[in-house]
C-alpha cells in the first residue's frame, strides 16, 4: 500500500525552464550595459553549465551555477562582475519560477489520502517557488550532508523523513535515471512524469507513467487496485 507520495522539484512540479531563460537574459542584459559589444548568448551560458555539470555531477547545484557563470564571464574578461550577476540570476530565477498549472490542485487532492513530501537535488526551495506549506517534509541535497540523487543515501533519507517503508512510497519525477531507476533500486514505487512522451530509456519500468500531474491521483488509485489493496485512507496524510 502506498502511504506517501514524494516529489522531485524541477520540471516535475515546477516549470523551471522559462524561469532559467528569463534569469539568463537579465544577466546578459546587465552585462551588455557594461559592455555594449558583448556577444555572449544564453546558449553559451547553457553550454558552460553543461560542461561544469559533466565535470562533477555530484557538486552542489549552486556551485555548478556559479562556476559555469564564472567561465562565461571570464571568456569576455568580465569575471570581476561575477558576484553581482550570480545574485542577479538567482533573484530572477526565484521570482519567475512557477508551479505547473495543475500542481497545486494535484497536491491538494493527494494530501487527502497520502503523506506528501518534497525531495530534490536542486535550488528550488519550496517557499521561494510558490510551494510553501504544501509538504509534510522537504529534503534538499547538500543540506545536512545529504548527497544528491541517485545516491542510495538520498532515498534512505526520504524513507526516514516519511517514516514508512520504502515500498510504501511513490517517488514522482521527470528524470528517468534519478527519479525512476534510483528510487526503484531503493525499493520504492516510481512514477515517471513524461510530458514529452519519450520512449523508455532503460530497463527499469516505472510503476506509473503520466504526462500531466493531474493524472497522478487516479493513477495511484489504479496502482492500489492492481496491488489488491485499497487506496490510502483518510488520516494517512500528515
Amino acid at each position: 500500500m502506498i502511504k506517501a507520495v514524494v516529489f522531485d522539484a524541477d520540471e516535475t512540479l515546477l516549470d523551471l525552464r522559462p524561469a532559467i531563460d528569463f534569469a539568463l537574459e537579465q544577466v546578459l542584459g546587465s552585462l551588455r550595459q557594461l559592455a555594449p559589444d558583448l556577444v555572449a548568448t544564453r546558449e553559451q551560458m547553457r553550454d558552460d553549465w553543461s560542461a561544469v555539470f559533466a565535470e562533477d555531477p555530484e557538486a552542489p547545484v549552486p556551485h555548478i551555477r556559479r562556476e559555469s557563470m564564472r567561465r562565461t564571464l571570464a571568456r569576455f574578461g568580465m569575471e570581476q562582475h561575477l558576484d553581482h550577476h550570480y545574485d542577479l540570476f538567482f533573484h530572477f530565477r526565484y521570482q519567475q519560477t512557477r508551479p505547473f498549472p495543475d500542481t497545486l490542485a494535484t497536491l491538494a487532492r493527494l494530501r487527502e489520502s497520502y503523506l506528501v513530501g518534497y525531495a530534490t537535488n536542486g535550488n528550488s526551495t519550496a517557499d521561494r517557488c510558490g510551494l510553501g506549506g504544501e509538504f509534510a517534509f522537504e529534503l534538499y541535497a547538500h543540506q545536512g550532508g545529504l548527497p544528491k540523487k541517485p545516491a542510495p543515501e538520498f532515498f534512505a533519507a526520504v524513507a526516514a523523513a516519511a517514516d514508512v517503508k520504502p515500498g510504501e512510497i511513490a517517488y514522482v519525477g521527470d528524470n528517468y535515471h534519478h527519479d525512476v531507476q534510483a528510487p526503484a533500486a531503493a525499493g520504492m514505487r516510481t512514477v515517471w512524469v513524461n510530458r514529452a512522451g519519450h520512449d523508455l530509456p532503460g530497463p527499469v519500468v516505472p510503476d506509473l507513467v503520466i504526462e500531466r500531474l493531474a493524472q497522478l491521483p487516479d493513477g495511484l488509485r489504479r496502482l492500489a487496485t492492481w496491488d489488491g489493496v485499497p487506496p490510502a485512507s483518510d488520516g494517512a496524510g500528515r
Side-chain angles (χ1 to χ4, degrees):
M1 176 190 295
I2 294 172
K3 296 181 179 179
V5 183
V6 183
F7 287 90
D8 169 59
D10 300 335
E11 305 304 335
T12 297
L13 297 175
L14 298 167
D15 190 7
L16 183 62
R17 178 53 67 87
I20 295 290
D21 288 348
F22 184 88
L24 291 176
E25 286 298 338
Q26 301 313 301
V27 168
L28 290 171
S30 177
L31 292 171
R32 291 183 186 117
Q33 289 182 344
L34 298 171
D37 296 332
L38 185 76
V39 293
T41 65
R42 198 168 64 192
E43 288 69 29
Q44 286 174 319
M45 299 189 82
R46 286 204 198 101
D47 288 346
D48 284 334
W49 162 274
S50 298
V52 174
F53 177 82
E55 291 169 9
D56 187 5
E58 303 307 313
V61 175
H63 169 83
I64 297 172
R65 177 59 64 188
R66 185 177 181 85
E67 174 58 18
S68 66
M69 189 175 291
R70 185 197 67 76
R71 293 186 187 186
T72 301
L73 269 62
R75 187 179 299 115
F76 298 98
M78 302 183 75
E79 191 173 353
Q80 69 271 26
H81 300 291
L82 174 60
D83 288 346
H84 170 72
H85 289 89
Y86 177 80
D87 291 342
L88 186 71
F89 170 85
F90 276 105
H91 169 76
F92 285 108
R93 177 254 200 260
Y94 282 119
Q95 182 190 78
Q96 297 295 316
T97 301
R98 301 285 186 273
F100 284 103
D102 53 355
T103 292
L104 296 179
T106 298
L107 294 176
R109 284 188 63 190
L110 292 172
R111 284 195 301 270
E112 295 174 1
S113 300
Y114 307 97
L115 180 146
V116 179
Y118 188 75
T120 176
N121 278 354
N123 292 317
S124 294
T125 50
D127 61 350
R128 298 189 69 180
C129 298
L131 294 174
E134 295 289 328
F135 305 102
F137 65 87
E138 300 171 21
L139 294 175
Y140 300 92
H142 295 292
Q143 291 188 11
L146 183 66
K148 293 171 73 172
K149 295 180 285 185
E153 295 85 353
F154 183 95
F155 296 99
V158 170
D163 194 25
V164 297
K165 298 175 183 178
E168 296 172 329
I169 297 171
Y171 192 82
V172 184
D174 71 296
N175 184 294
Y176 174 80
H177 300 290
H178 285 178
D179 304 329
V180 176
Q181 284 188 321
M188 295 179 182
R189 310 298 294 270
T190 58
V191 180
W192 186 27
V193 182
N194 183 17
R195 290 186 175 87
H198 293 303
D199 293 335
L200 195 67
V204 177
V205 178
D207 292 285
L208 181 66
V209 180
I210 59 175
E211 295 180 352
R212 297 178 293 107
L213 288 174
Q215 299 169 329
L216 182 56
D218 290 342
L220 292 175
R221 290 185 179 278
R222 288 196 302 274
L223 275 183
T225 301
W226 298 336
D227 289 344
V229 297
S233 61
D234 291 344
R238 305 195 286 274

